[in-house]
């Protein structure tokens, strides 16, 4: 009674060569007041980048993921909800909901 359980709905459609999907990832702290850390196990020969979108779907920041830990500064952003998209070899890998306080 009174307990809500979050769940995630994912739909995978026609992705070939899926052996790279087992990448490990973590993002913290969330919610954040400043910097955000993206930890992702790099995969050999894969181009990885991140993109941050606001609630309207506008791209407001992007960059390359070149090491296992990438620090992303959100200090200049206003308090809101943002979406961080991780892209591997031009394929969307994961989308995180980020809360900026």
């Amino acid at each position: 009674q009174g307990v809500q359980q979050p769940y995630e709905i994912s739909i995978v459609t026609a992705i070939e060569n899926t052996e790279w999907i087992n990448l490990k990832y973590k993002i913290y702290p969330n919610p954040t007041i400043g910097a955000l850390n993206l930890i992702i196990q790099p995969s050999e020969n894969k181009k990885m980048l991140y993109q941050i979108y606001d609630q309207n779907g506008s791209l407001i920041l992007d960059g390359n993921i070149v090491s296992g830990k990438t620090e992303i500064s959100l200090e200049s952003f206003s308090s809101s909800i943002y979406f961080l998209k991780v892209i591997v070899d031009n394929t969307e890998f994961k989308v995180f909901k980020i809360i900026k306080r």
Side-chain angles (χ1 to χ4, degrees):
Q1 291 179 333
V3 177
Q4 295 180 356
Q5 297 295 324
Y7 61 93
E8 181 175 322
I9 298 173
S10 298
I11 300 174
V12 178
T13 56
I15 298 176
E16 297 179 12
N17 301 323
T18 59
E19 56 272 354
W20 59 269
I21 291 181
N22 64 358
L23 292 176
K24 296 180 183 176
Y25 52 86
K26 180 167 75 168
I27 193 158
Y28 68 92
N30 191 15
T32 185
I33 58 171
L36 192 65
N37 294 300
L38 172 63
I39 307 292
I40 189 163
Q41 178 185 11
S43 180
E44 295 179 18
N45 302 322
K46 300 287 182 189
K47 180 181 177 186
M48 296 189 292
L49 56 100
Y50 67 87
Q51 297 174 333
I52 297 181
Y53 293 87
D54 63 11
Q55 292 182 15
N56 297 322
S58 299
L59 177 66
I60 55 174
L61 182 67
D62 63 349
N64 291 320
I65 300 171
V66 293
S67 66
K69 180 179 179 182
T70 303
E71 184 173 309
I72 304 166
S73 176
L74 301 178
E75 292 178 10
S76 63
F77 294 0
S78 61
S79 296
S80 186
I81 295 174
Y82 298 94
F83 298 95
L84 184 140
K85 184 184 295 187
V86 176
I87 299 171
V88 180
D89 278 349
N90 297 321
T91 302
E92 183 179 307
F93 172 67
K94 179 72 177 170
V95 177
F96 297 94
K97 180 179 175 181
I98 307 298
I99 299 171
K100 168 66 167 69
R101 290 188 177 177

